Amino acid sequence: MDARKFTERIAYRIRQDEHDLQGVTVLRGEHVYNCAETDRNVYFVKSGQVKTVMVTASGKRCLLDLYLPGNVFGELCLTSTRRTDTAVAMTDTELVRISHRRLLRILDREGLLENLTAHLTDRLAEQQRIIADLVTMESEMRLAARLLQLSHRFGQRCDRGMVISARLTQEELAEMVGTTRSRVGYFLKSFREAGLLESSRGSIIINQPNLASYVGERLALSGGLV
């Protein structure tokens, strides 16, 4: 079972049991949990938007991931008693909180415990890759690759491409790729001129074939892997 189907199964079960679970309201800018604190809960996003952030050993602040309604996050609490990242509400957000013990019981009941190890391994590997990209890839390439990833994960098709449904400011994109807001603005302008994306009413519309070709060609030239 791939990661998306696994988390969809978890989300479906949380929805079914929602009346027995604790609802949580987190205002924009407030933290759901903090790095290094003990928090053994998993969260389901009912409404709003959440980001997870990590600070590297060199002091760089890295936006690891985004979570929209229907997404589950915080499952790495199953690997450690202390958080390695910080979760922040990007808008006023409604969550459902479920303890790790109850989640394990649900996974056992659904026959998903065997898939759990592979899922957690993939999540840890993804975090390590993001941190490694911060020090091995140039910032323009990191931005292109993350935009392509976001279009596959959150994109909604329109006549001009894939609209990224997650709302992101240039500051948040800069945080995502470890550079400055001004450089993100410059890169986005270059991408628009090259026909890789469009901006419309605060949203980003990705031309997936063109952006994928751009990322692939640049990685090939640098000796990287797609």
Side-chain angles (χ1 to χ4, degrees):
M1 181 183 298
D2 64 31
R4 183 170 182 174
K5 288 182 179 179
F6 180 78
T7 54
E8 284 176 351
R9 287 279 296 276
I10 295 175
Y12 172 77
R13 181 45 57 191
I14 290 175
R15 286 193 191 96
Q16 298 300 109
D17 295 350
E18 184 181 331
H19 60 283
D20 290 330
L21 300 173
Q22 183 179 11
V24 181
T25 299
V26 187
L27 301 181
R28 179 182 179 183
E30 291 184 346
H31 292 189
V32 181
Y33 56 77
N34 293 292
C35 179
E37 77 177 15
T38 300
D39 179 83
R40 304 301 304 278
N41 298 293
V42 175
Y43 299 86
F44 171 77
V45 183
K46 288 184 65 177
S47 66
Q49 187 168 308
V50 174
K51 64 181 177 182
T52 51
V53 180
M54 180 181 287
V55 179
T56 68
S58 63
K60 280 189 176 181
R61 184 176 171 89
C62 176
L63 196 161
L64 294 172
D65 216 335
L66 301 172
Y67 301 93
L68 303 184
N71 292 162
V72 173
F73 70 95
E75 67 272 35
L76 290 182
C77 72
L78 297 170
T79 68
S80 173
T81 59
R82 292 188 180 276
R83 292 292 185 183
T84 59
D85 57 4
T86 296
V88 184
M90 300 171 70
T91 64
D92 293 351
T93 298
E94 296 288 334
L95 304 171
V96 175
R97 181 161 58 200
I98 179 170
S99 72
H100 74 289
R101 290 188 179 89
R102 182 157 187 175
L103 179 63
L104 288 173
R105 291 197 297 270
I106 289 174
L107 293 174
D108 187 29
R109 189 171 72 229
E110 297 291 311
L112 295 174
L113 280 178
E114 290 187 5
N115 301 99
L116 178 61
T117 300
H119 173 71
L120 293 176
T121 299
D122 287 345
R123 292 285 288 114
L124 287 168
E126 181 182 9
Q127 285 195 0
Q128 291 173 347
R129 179 186 57 76
I130 290 170
I131 297 300
D133 286 350
L134 279 176
V135 296
T136 60
M137 293 173 65
E138 59 183 42
S139 53
E140 182 180 8
M141 263 304 303
R142 292 198 301 270
L143 178 60
R146 292 303 294 274
L147 287 173
L148 185 61
Q149 177 194 41
L150 290 172
S151 74
H152 284 296
R153 189 167 167 205
F154 299 122
Q156 298 176 348
R157 188 167 298 282
C158 70
D159 57 350
R160 302 197 304 277
M162 298 294 287
V163 182
I164 296 177
S165 55
R167 294 295 178 176
L168 286 165
T169 65
Q170 288 191 7
E171 287 85 355
E172 287 159 344
L173 287 172
E175 193 175 60
M176 184 173 284
V177 298
T179 188
T180 64
R181 179 189 178 281
S182 60
R183 285 186 64 77
V184 164
Y186 173 78
F187 296 148
L188 290 175
K189 180 181 178 183
S190 297
F191 294 162
R192 285 194 296 269
E193 291 173 349
L196 306 180
L197 58 80
E198 299 177 35
S199 298
S200 176
R201 298 180 181 178
S203 297
I204 300 174
I205 304 172
I206 302 296
N207 184 320
Q208 282 184 336
N210 288 1
L211 189 58
S213 295
Y214 173 83
V215 171
E217 289 169 4
R218 293 292 295 272
L219 285 175
L221 286 173
S222 64
L225 299 175
V226 177

